[in-house]
Amino acid sequence: MSGNGNQVSRRSFLKSAGSATVVATAATSISGCLGDSGNGSGTLRYGRSSHSETLDPQGATSGEVAKVTNQIYDGLIGFEPGEAAITESLATDWSMDGEEVTLELREDAQFDDGTDVTADDFIATYRRFVDEDYEHYSDEASAYGPFTLGSWIDSVSADGDYTLNITLTQPYTPFLRNLAMFAAVVLPKDDIEDGFDFASDANGAGPFQLEELDDSNGRILLTSNDNYWGDGPNVDELLFIEKGQNSTRTQALIEGELEIIDNLGPDNIGTVEDSDDVEVQSGQGINIGYMSFNQSRVEEFRDPKVRQAISYAIDTESIVNEVYSGIAEQADQPCPPALFGHNDDLSPYAYDTDEAQSLLEEAGYGDGFSFDLTTFRNARGYNPAPGSTAETIRTNLSEIGIDVTIDERQFSDYLTYTSEGKHDASLAGWYTDNADPDNFYYVLLHPQVDSPDGQDWVDWSTEDYNTSNRSAWANQEFMDLVEDAQRTEDQEERADLYHEAAQIAHDEAPWVYIDYADEIRGVRNNVNNYTISAIGGPHLHLVELE
């Protein structure tokens, strides 16, 4: 993220006499909000484990970015709070007939600077994200660009100010759901063409607007957007606060310094439950935690017997039940149980060191080998205890002669490092973006380039390679099934294709499947109308404070 670490919004900047004054004002204002636990019902304080590395929804793959940008920006389509159903947002009506998609936009939506939202704004947003020939294409565009919009849209045009006509490159069943992804929110065309710095400032059509950004202290202050077209927000201010340690975040909740915290660690749930003023809220997640094998970098990982051996050698049952204290269940395939693409006939790899050793010997690695395991330092919902998870893996694999060195990084550094393919193996995870199986099978395990003849992996440096596939896996049979499912409209037929793909992914083991985690939050008793959302959101504009 550009700037001096304490950059504030253009709105605050224009009110100030100089940049030095602005920086001091921002730090003081936000600190004051945090320190005053009696600041009234106007400010909702949301505690999380990591700060957003950018405010540009097209510049990141991180859920931490989405938590904030989803409050500021709206997409054409949204998700019902707490549900997987899509609902109207900037578009009030739509149709999809084969490759033709038409959307009707609402006429009462404005960005927070007061300009109207039109079809041309979406077209500029789309081109900034995926069209390298566009003068204002973003060089910082994330890997979301192709699989969200770029791979599927052949052309897009406006019919007046409020009608969008989109022609797809092929029938693509999840497309409408893709329009509800956080990376597909609508940005203002005028700002795009004027060189607006979306990384450190914001101008959206959502319920909140950016007031102050304090990167050095991990805090972002939003205020009510008076131009918002929808209901809410029901608080005047929304303050995101980074507190990296689960225990610190939990204590701040109990002491009244925060109203909501996420990524509640298993060791802290009891502390929250014992408090009179806060409660634990939970819901079924649509996520997966896993360990990826970077086959582009580590030769041993290219043998499926090695990957299977490691899967047998890691005690995922112990990780889920002991390290995560049962707030998750063992995983056995890429797609979580909440989605129709999950194959119920599969089971997790059993913890079996004898079988693991036998497979290593068959593969010619009976004496073991070594690799680095890259992990993040801060808790995530799909991995609430990354340090302990990595240590369990290291200990388990030492039993079969594999030496693991743990490489622990701050989350933003971890994301950059692994997106560049520098990891040997990595602890990873994924929250659904659109509640469709395609978001797991295609996004995370399809290389989105051709599979090389005679091998089931690709080199990381391959042009247009999908870097969200952290394993560089390229199994052609799997890829064909996933592509067929994208073009299939009947859900039962799609499910059958995904079940076959799940079987291949289970048997070939491009990941160690670790867990499907529940969504766990700590919430103070003065918070009303807060709904845990496994997709989209968090819908904080609906929250009311007593």
Side-chain angles (χ1 to χ4, degrees), residues 100 120 122 170 198 226 239 287 319 343 398 476 488 514 538:
E100 300 301 322
D120 285 337
F122 176 80
Q170 64 172 59
F198 289 98
D226 293 337
L239 178 61
N287 60 63
I319 291 173
N343 187 339
S398 69
Q476 190 62 56
T488 301
I514 298 177

Side-chain angles (χ1 to χ4, degrees), residues 234-254:
N234 297 320
V235 294
D236 297 322
E237 297 180 330
L238 172 58
L239 178 61
F240 287 93
I241 303 173
E242 176 191 22
K243 288 185 177 292
Q245 297 298 316
N246 290 343
S247 57
T248 305
R249 200 163 56 254
T250 301
Q251 194 60 35
L253 175 73
I254 291 172

Side-chain angles (χ1 to χ4, degrees), residues 377-393:
R377 186 169 298 147
N378 303 89
R380 306 293 296 155
Y382 46 72
N383 187 338
S388 299
T389 302
E391 183 58 34
T392 299
I393 290 172

